Amino acid sequence: MSSYEVMNALFIRPRRFGKTLNLNMIKSFCELNYQNPGDKSYQQKLFIDNGRNLAVAGEDYKDLREKVMGEYPVISISFRGVEGNTFQSAVSGLLGIIAELYERFLFLRESVKQSEERIKQFNVIYSFCTTKYKKLSDPDNLNEAIVICCSFLATLAEMLYREYGRKILVIIDEYDVPLQKAVIAEEPYYNKMLEIIRKISVTTFKQNPDPWLYKGIVSGCLRIAHQSVFTDANNFTTFGMNDEPYTGFFGFTRDETHKLLADSGLSEKENEVKEWYDGYRFGNKHIYCPWSLISYCYAATQKDIYTPQPFWVNTSGNDLIALFAKNSIDAHDSGNIERLQQFSDRNIIEITLKEFSTYPDINNNMDFDIFMTLMLHTGYATYVEETESSDKVKIRIPNNEVALCFKSKFESFYTKNNHHWFNQTLSLVDLLMENKTDDAQALISSMLKQYLSIRNTGDELYYHGFMTGILGIAATTKGLEYHEEIETGSGFSDIILDNFDSESACILELKKAESLDVCYLAAQDATKQIIKKDYASKFISKKYKKIYGIGVGFAKKSCRIVSLGNLAEDSANQ
């Protein structure tokens, strides 16, 4: 624990980076023994007499232990599971959390220190949460549920303060999860949920706090606190990823990772683990994703699985990536697509940090800088070494695990499930098989501007992957045989579309140009290779009636096409 004190603190970190663990630790350290307030044996055993020589057990922290350890009633809740496709289902989830919290303090109902009115209020809240949480389709029940959600914390805090005469430590974990879920729900309900979270804040951390509040500690992954949720909060300090003095308190530092791997007998895997789970920069510290690191050590030591796996990304809300990319593609926003491509290619990009007063509406065409600010908060991007904390920052993908996540999300766009994209690929197959090169050129260039690849655009494999992706499934759907890099003539052609029934084929050779100015020349070079390598010979020998040789030159997100015409006719005329 640090000597730096604030009244109320908001900690911003990505999901699964140790926020809950740290808050639970604080709860365990501070919480009063409700049955025997003078007993601190639990904390003594957990933090002091455990043989681990924790810093807090040292002489330097004696005053802190005497002042804080086992001294305060603690109200601790987590909003992690508050979600649902409707507002009613989300409120039902909140009622479940309140019921569990109140169940811990049922003994307050038997206290002679509590007024009858307070006990009655406690019973009303507890009874409603346990009996009517599934009956919120009734408008009256829903309205009462909202009132309870907004008042439950203050009610319980006042009773605890009266019972023990000590101020209350309030801990709220994952405060923003209900807001995120409200945005991406089938029936979005962001404003309704925001109002509930805001009222919880007002009744707990308001400008003129009740005498029962000791401190508030809140965690989340988005910095939207002061503008909307905690507008009326008193003395709230936000600690983001770059804000000292807590940059090393969430996640594992390099030294901690080194020790963990050594203790697990996995020191020889340190470089591989670094590539997969390191890469985060919090202040001037390199941080490893703790969830992934612990999961990897468990898999290696307990299951003999030593190959790194994507652990963290499978637990987080990476639907945000898919939604943003899909909306950018659907809107034909080539600027967003190009910058997202650069980022996914693991290039360093510069953005302007744009904090938000409400949760970003990813269902609309979101500004790229807002999206990337969101990616920073949620752990899909990180600051590069030389970046200082300012409005303009340089960011990158942190590690292999996150890069793999982007790859899998992009691959999912270019399938039959994306009907708009798939219809374009069907049209392109028809245009190529009919040698309509002008229309095919325009369509390919248009699709390139909508395309997000898993390969770097500076590599010829990018374009090969693009053409494979758009022609493979479509050709098969139309009953054509699709081949890539098969041996024909004296070499290997890039792509062949073969319609045996109509005795027609299209031979495609792809070339990457160094610039747009020489894109046409690259296409011409591709056609020369078709002739030089005699790629058409296989189909000429089969007496095909139409054999189109087509060269495609690519540069950036554009192309040029040159056709040799019908090579079957040329052969017949020789």
Side-chain angles (χ1 to χ4, degrees):
M1 298 179 70
S2 170
S3 60
Y4 182 82
E5 289 194 24
V6 297
M7 176 63 187
N8 299 305
L10 170 65
F11 290 98
I12 300 298
R13 291 296 188 279
R15 302 274 179 254
R16 305 285 185 172
F17 262 73
K19 299 187 298 296
T20 299
L21 181 63
N22 275 333
L23 296 189
N24 285 343
M25 178 187 67
I26 293 171
K27 174 181 181 293
S28 296
F29 186 82
C30 298
E31 189 164 31
L32 186 74
N33 182 328
Y34 299 111
Q35 306 309 316
N36 185 3
D39 178 22
K40 300 184 180 183
S41 58
Y42 172 74
Q43 287 87 359
Q44 185 73 25
K45 180 178 179 181
L46 187 62
F47 293 97
I48 313 303
D49 301 330
N50 58 12
R52 292 181 177 271
N53 297 318
L54 299 180
V56 75
E59 190 66 23
D60 291 345
Y61 287 88
K62 181 179 179 181
D63 290 343
L64 177 70
R65 294 196 303 272
E66 291 178 352
K67 177 184 177 182
V68 175
M69 191 174 80
E71 290 290 335
Y72 294 97
V74 178
I75 295 176
S76 178
I77 56 174
S78 173
F79 290 156
R80 180 182 298 133
V82 180
E83 58 183 276
N85 286 324
T86 65
F87 178 59
Q88 288 91 333
S89 60
V91 172
S92 179
L94 267 174
L95 295 181
I97 290 171
I98 297 170
E100 290 181 6
L101 175 67
Y102 269 52
E103 192 166 349
R104 294 186 59 235
F105 296 101
L106 290 178
F107 61 86
L108 291 173
R109 300 184 299 180
E110 311 301 325
S111 172
V112 296
K113 295 181 180 180
Q114 304 297 329
S115 66
E116 290 185 8
E117 184 60 32
R118 283 296 183 196
I119 293 174
K120 180 181 178 181
Q121 191 174 4
F122 184 103
N123 285 332
V124 167
I125 292 174
Y126 182 65
S127 175
F128 187 94
C129 291
T130 54
T131 62
K132 296 186 179 180
Y133 67 98
K134 290 185 178 179
K135 301 177 181 179
L136 301 186
S137 57
D138 183 330
D140 291 338
N141 284 345
L142 180 60
N143 289 335
E144 186 173 353
I146 293 171
V147 171
I148 287 173
C149 288
C150 296
S151 62
F152 77 94
L153 202 153
T155 297
L156 180 59
E158 288 168 357
M159 293 181 72
L160 286 169
Y161 182 61
R162 177 184 291 269
E163 186 71 16
Y164 297 102
R166 307 186 192 195
K167 292 188 176 185
I168 315 302
L169 172 62
V170 176
I171 298 174
I172 300 177
D173 193 18
E174 307 279 21
Y175 86 93
D176 56 326
V177 166
L179 301 177
Q180 175 185 328
K181 301 299 183 180
V183 170
I184 64 176
E186 292 179 11
E187 301 175 23
Y189 49 89
Y190 175 80
N191 289 331
K192 293 179 180 179
M193 183 54 68
L194 175 62
E195 190 61 25
I196 289 178
I197 303 299
R198 181 186 286 136
K199 285 184 178 178
I200 291 173
S201 165
V202 169
T203 58
T204 308
F205 312 114
K206 56 190 175 184
Q207 291 286 358
N208 298 309
D210 290 314
W212 51 259
L213 181 64
Y214 166 56
K215 285 183 185 296
I217 304 176
V218 181
S219 82
C221 76
L222 293 182
R223 190 196 296 263
I224 60 175
H226 292 294
Q227 293 88 345
S228 57
V229 176
F230 303 120
T231 303
D232 298 318
N234 182 55
N235 296 325
F236 242 100
T237 303
T238 301
F239 295 98
M241 288 174 280
N242 285 337
D243 297 323
E244 298 294 352
Y246 300 107
T247 54
F249 281 58
F250 299 86
F252 290 131
T253 64
R254 283 180 171 175
D255 289 343
E256 291 166 343
T257 300
H258 178 80
K259 185 177 187 306
L260 176 61
L261 291 175
D263 290 346
S264 302
L266 297 169
S267 294
E268 74 280 1
K269 295 291 185 179
E270 191 159 349
N271 288 336
E272 197 171 3
V273 166
K274 181 179 186 299
E275 292 295 318
W276 271 81
Y277 308 127
D278 186 18
Y280 294 97
R281 181 189 168 206
F282 294 174
N284 62 357
K285 296 178 178 66
H286 288 267
I287 300 294
Y288 286 69
C289 175
W291 178 265
S292 292
L293 190 58
I294 292 173
S295 298
Y296 173 76
C297 290
Y298 175 80
T301 58
Q302 303 300 315
K303 301 180 180 179
D304 294 328
I305 300 174
Y306 296 96
T307 302
Q309 305 292 323
F311 296 109
W312 172 78
V313 295
N314 291 333
T315 70
S316 301
N318 48 45
D319 287 342
L320 298 175
I321 299 171
L323 278 170
F324 177 77
K326 182 180 184 302
N327 291 340
S328 297
I329 291 170
D330 290 347
H332 303 287
D333 191 329
S334 58
N336 273 357
I337 295 168
E338 179 61 28
R339 294 183 75 186
L340 189 57
Q341 180 72 66
Q342 289 296 313
F343 180 73
S344 67
D345 287 343
R346 306 190 75 167
N347 293 316
I348 293 172
I349 65 171
E350 185 175 82
I351 66 167
T352 300
L353 289 177
K354 291 189 176 180
E355 307 299 353
F356 17 83
S357 58
T358 61
Y359 200 102
D361 187 357
I362 54 179
N363 293 310
N364 292 323
N365 193 21
M366 188 197 297
D367 177 84
F368 183 83
D369 287 342
I370 291 178
F371 173 71
M372 278 301 164
T373 301
L374 181 61
M375 290 291 97
L376 272 170
H377 286 326
T378 50
Y380 294 94
T382 192
Y383 300 100
V384 300
E385 289 290 333
E386 62 268 24
T387 293
E388 300 296 331
S389 183
S390 64
D391 288 342
K392 285 192 177 294
V393 298
K394 293 180 179 179
I395 64 172
R396 58 175 172 80
I397 284 179
N399 52 44
N400 288 352
E401 180 177 28
V402 176
L404 185 64
C405 175
F406 275 88
K407 171 184 173 181
S408 64
K409 287 300 174 185
F410 293 169
E411 283 179 332
S412 68
F413 297 140
Y414 308 109
T415 66
K416 288 184 178 181
N417 295 328
N418 186 336
H419 300 296
H420 171 71
W421 180 267
F422 188 56
N423 287 336
Q424 287 181 304
T425 68
L426 295 174
S427 298
L428 181 59
V429 170
D430 289 339
L431 293 174
L432 292 172
M433 293 302 290
E434 295 168 10
N435 200 37
K436 294 181 178 179
T437 52
D438 289 344
D439 291 338
Q441 177 179 293
L443 182 55
I444 292 173
S445 292
S446 173
M447 295 177 77
L448 273 170
K449 292 175 174 62
Q450 305 170 46
Y451 184 61
L452 285 161
S453 174
I454 62 172
R455 299 180 175 91
N456 192 294
T457 53
D459 194 323
E460 194 160 305
L461 285 175
Y462 167 86
Y463 300 108
H464 194 106
F466 167 73
M467 293 297 286
T468 297
I470 66 177
L471 294 177
I473 297 176
T476 303
T477 300
K478 285 185 165 292
L480 279 64
E481 288 191 28
Y482 172 85
H483 307 284
E484 55 178 320
E485 294 188 331
I486 62 169
E487 187 170 6
T488 55
S490 58
F492 295 87
S493 53
D494 283 331
I495 293 173
I496 290 178
L497 303 176
D498 180 1
N499 190 334
F500 178 81
D501 293 334
S502 65
E503 297 178 324
S504 58
C506 177
I507 301 168
L508 292 168
E509 187 64 26
L510 316 177
K511 294 289 184 185
K512 174 185 173 293
E514 294 304 318
S515 67
L516 291 171
D517 293 339
V518 293
C519 194
Y520 181 80
L521 295 177
Q524 280 190 319
D525 287 342
T527 58
K528 291 176 182 177
Q529 183 169 324
I530 293 173
I531 295 172
K532 181 180 179 180
K533 299 292 187 179
D534 200 17
Y535 290 156
S537 60
K538 172 183 176 180
F539 300 101
I540 291 172
S541 65
K542 292 182 178 180
K543 305 298 183 181
Y544 271 38
K545 297 174 181 177
K546 295 179 181 178
I547 310 168
Y548 297 120
I550 295 177
V552 187
F554 292 95
K556 297 184 178 179
K557 293 265 183 174
S558 296
C559 78
R560 290 291 182 267
I561 292 181
V562 174
S563 175
L564 294 168
N566 187 355
L567 298 175
E569 291 180 352
D570 293 344
S571 175
N573 294 330
Q574 290 179 359

